[in-house]
Amino acid sequence: MPLTAIALNCTLKAKGDSSTDAMIEVLADAFVKYGVSLTETIRIAAHDVKTGVTSDEGDGDAWPAIREKVLAADILILGTPIWMGQMGSVAKRVLERMDAFLDETDDQGRMPSSGKVAVAAIVGNEDGAHISGAQMFQSLIDTGWTIPAGAACYWVGEAMGDVDFKDLKKTPDKVLETAAMTASNAAHLAGLLKGKTYPGVAD
């Protein structure tokens, strides 16, 4: 069965070059080999995604339309830069909006994200990839997403350096290897769940 992925780029920049975009592209290229097509990359900072914990925060909120696209895909790539040693505030806002899934269960107790797979694309100039992934994955698990083995593809530069991932002349081999395993595991898991999703809990 063909599988689709969608990427949410949670860079803090509303426009312009983004290292997060560059890492998402590395993952998107890796997914192609496993039959997964990236339908769209949405830059959250370019849209009026309001603060809150519901699926619709009212007039002008861009989240409901984005939410619909996210839930239409089999795989979510959640991309974030590292700021102050942790994932950026835009990614946190996305996760806070997904908190609404807890109250949007079906008759078997399944959240809208049930049977969907999520992976991370993380970039930064210093440390923070592991803690960012840990925070992200715990939030995604809490809101119904399934996390495959090796679900984080990341790059961090030299401490106190000034080189960004997007400015590298060549993607490091280790990043490419990690992206390949992330894509392989995620595609495999998404295929299994698409064929037979979680049963939930009957009354």
Side-chain angles (χ1 to χ4, degrees):
M1 289 180 288
L3 296 169
T4 60
I6 189 167
L8 300 183
N9 179 355
C10 295
T11 175
L12 274 59
K13 303 173 184 176
K15 58 185 178 180
D17 291 340
S18 159
S19 286
T20 309
D21 258 336
M23 182 59 80
I24 288 170
E25 287 174 14
V26 169
L27 269 174
D29 289 343
F31 269 119
V32 170
K33 182 178 178 181
Y34 300 99
V36 181
S37 58
L38 182 67
T39 59
E40 186 176 2
T41 297
I42 300 173
R43 184 176 291 212
I44 297 298
H47 300 271
D48 186 12
V49 175
K50 298 187 181 299
T51 57
V53 292
T54 71
S55 285
D56 190 341
E57 289 292 332
D59 243 9
D61 185 16
W63 179 247
I66 295 171
R67 174 189 180 278
E68 185 176 353
K69 291 179 178 181
V70 166
L71 293 176
D74 302 300
I75 299 169
L76 168 65
I77 302 171
L78 188 55
T80 183
I82 299 166
W83 287 106
M84 298 180 176
Q86 57 189 303
M87 65 177 164
S89 59
V90 176
K92 291 179 182 179
R93 178 169 297 192
V94 166
L95 293 167
E96 287 164 355
R97 295 303 300 271
M98 289 183 188
D99 186 74
F101 293 173
L102 295 167
D103 296 320
E104 297 174 354
T105 56
D106 65 11
D107 292 341
Q108 280 74 49
R110 296 172 297 195
M111 287 180 255
S113 49
S114 180
K116 308 286 186 180
V117 170
V119 299
I122 301 171
V123 290
N125 286 337
E126 295 193 29
D127 199 9
H130 287 169
I131 188 63
S132 295
Q135 293 172 329
M136 184 186 295
F137 291 143
Q138 185 61 61
S139 297
L140 289 166
I141 289 167
D142 285 349
T143 53
W145 297 88
T146 299
I147 310 302
C153 189
Y154 69 88
W155 176 89
V156 290
E158 184 181 5
M160 294 181 282
D162 56 2
V163 176
D164 291 334
F165 182 70
K166 63 180 173 58
D167 297 326
L168 296 179
K169 294 179 180 178
K170 179 180 181 293
T171 302
D173 290 342
K174 207 66 182 173
V175 172
L176 294 174
E177 292 169 12
T178 302
M181 186 59 74
T182 298
S184 174
N185 291 347
H188 176 74
L189 185 55
L192 292 175
L193 289 170
K194 191 166 186 175
K196 189 175 182 180
T197 193
Y198 297 114
V201 179
D203 291 336

